[in-house]
Amino acid sequence: MRVKTLYDELDEVMGGGLSQGSTMAILYDTYSFAQYFALHILAKRIKSGDLGVLSNYSYPLGRLIRGAQFAGLDIVSEGEKGNLVIIDYFSSRYSVPSKYPFVYTFSGHVGEETINPKTFLIYQEKILPNLGDRLLLRVIYTLDGLAFFFGENTALKLLYFDLAKFMEMFPKSVTLLLVNKDAVSKHFVARVVDISDYVIDFRSQVTRKGIVEDVIISKALTPEFSPEIFEFLIGETKEETGKKFSFKKVSQ
């Protein structure tokens, strides 16, 4: 069964959508809007009935909520309705307690030996009992944030273990990995690309007319796949279509 991004242009290139149990890497650079695009996919999938899990490594919760609002995701509303869970590693790192019942933080030391066991305890006790027959869409926000705290090699080891355990627990799921390429090494990016089933690479340019982004779908593990290039557009479609972002094919 395919899990659609709900962007027809992307789903067509990827063989009709993402495979259940798969991982998609979304790569971007400093001035890209790709991280908001990922949150918009999450918002649309939640509206389609999925349960969202947002693993926050990179931002204070208030900043995350504001960024999600820009992307069309109301974190507080969806969390209170039981459609979204946040595992807040960032706040845990700085011992900031949660003020929302759907935002989970860790008590005590959060180190490389404890972070994965504590994470999967939350999945077992808080998320799995409330999942039902819904698909679980997880967004890792962001992998470079994890690498900043633990170093790249440790972050990769944590990721590999996480993906192996997660796919065993939640075969009816999709994981989106967000990576700011400017914040990590080429080696780190290469490892993330290697472990991902799908790869979308956002490349921005700052021009006098504004920020222009090209999107390269460079990997999809489907027999009919061939790479495609799109122009990424922001605010180019009417609000009633539900598409804050859109794509224009530029490759032949």
Side-chain angles (χ1 to χ4, degrees):
M1 182 177 177
R2 293 288 178 176
V3 180
K4 294 184 180 296
T5 67
L6 304 178
Y7 281 89
D8 295 340
E9 305 91 339
L10 303 185
D11 290 332
E12 181 180 356
V13 175
M14 295 186 293
L18 310 173
S19 300
Q20 286 191 10
S22 66
T23 300
M24 180 168 72
I26 299 178
L27 312 176
Y28 56 96
D29 53 35
T30 299
Y31 299 105
S32 174
F33 281 81
Q35 58 180 296
Y36 304 113
F37 166 68
L39 293 178
H40 194 52
I41 291 178
L42 178 59
K44 294 173 71 175
R45 289 299 320 181
I46 287 174
K47 285 182 172 60
S48 296
D50 296 349
L51 174 65
V53 175
L54 192 55
S55 300
N56 174 40
Y57 294 99
S58 295
Y59 301 105
L61 185 60
R63 161 66 174 78
L64 181 63
I65 291 173
R66 292 190 297 274
Q69 287 175 338
F70 173 79
L73 173 62
D74 188 332
I75 283 180
V76 176
S77 175
E78 297 297 351
E80 290 177 343
K81 289 187 290 187
N83 298 327
L84 177 65
V85 171
I86 295 177
I87 304 179
D88 196 351
Y89 303 91
F90 186 95
S91 294
S92 299
R93 188 76 174 183
Y94 296 109
S95 302
V96 179
S98 169
K99 63 179 182 179
Y100 297 105
F102 58 88
V103 178
Y104 297 104
T105 57
F106 305 121
S107 59
H109 176 66
V110 182
E112 60 182 276
E113 301 86 5
T114 61
I115 188 171
N116 277 341
K118 287 185 175 183
T119 295
F120 284 103
L121 188 61
I122 289 176
Y123 277 109
Q124 290 171 341
E125 294 184 350
K126 305 296 184 181
I127 297 174
L128 189 57
N130 299 313
L131 181 60
D133 62 353
R134 291 182 288 181
L135 180 132
L136 194 155
L137 180 63
R138 179 174 64 154
V139 179
I140 305 299
Y141 200 84
T142 61
L143 267 184
D144 49 279
L146 176 63
F148 175 76
F149 284 130
F150 293 104
E152 290 188 3
N153 288 337
T154 298
L156 288 170
K157 291 176 182 178
L158 292 171
L159 173 65
Y160 277 44
F161 175 85
D162 173 280
L163 290 177
K165 183 70 173 177
F166 185 82
M167 296 310 171
E168 176 189 2
M169 289 181 64
F170 301 101
K172 190 178 177 181
S173 66
V174 167
T175 296
L176 306 184
L177 306 174
L178 274 68
V179 184
N180 184 337
K181 297 176 294 182
D182 291 343
V184 292
S185 69
K186 290 183 178 180
H187 170 263
F188 187 88
V189 173
R191 285 293 187 183
V192 173
V193 168
D194 185 57
I195 202 172
S196 299
D197 302 289
Y198 305 87
V199 177
I200 302 181
D201 190 354
F202 287 72
R203 302 182 181 184
S204 67
Q205 298 180 49
V206 180
T207 71
R208 291 184 176 181
K209 295 182 179 181
I211 297 176
V212 178
E213 292 200 55
D214 287 335
V215 179
I216 304 171
I217 303 180
S218 58
K219 182 180 180 181
L221 297 183
T222 57
E224 66 275 21
F225 172 71
S226 61
E228 293 283 1
I229 301 175
F230 296 88
E231 184 181 357
F232 182 52
L233 306 172
I234 302 171
E236 293 289 333
T237 56
K238 295 181 180 179
E239 289 186 7
E240 57 265 26
T241 67
K243 292 187 177 181
K244 184 178 185 68
F245 309 106
S246 59
F247 297 84
K248 179 180 179 182
K249 188 174 180 180
V250 297
S251 56
Q252 299 298 321

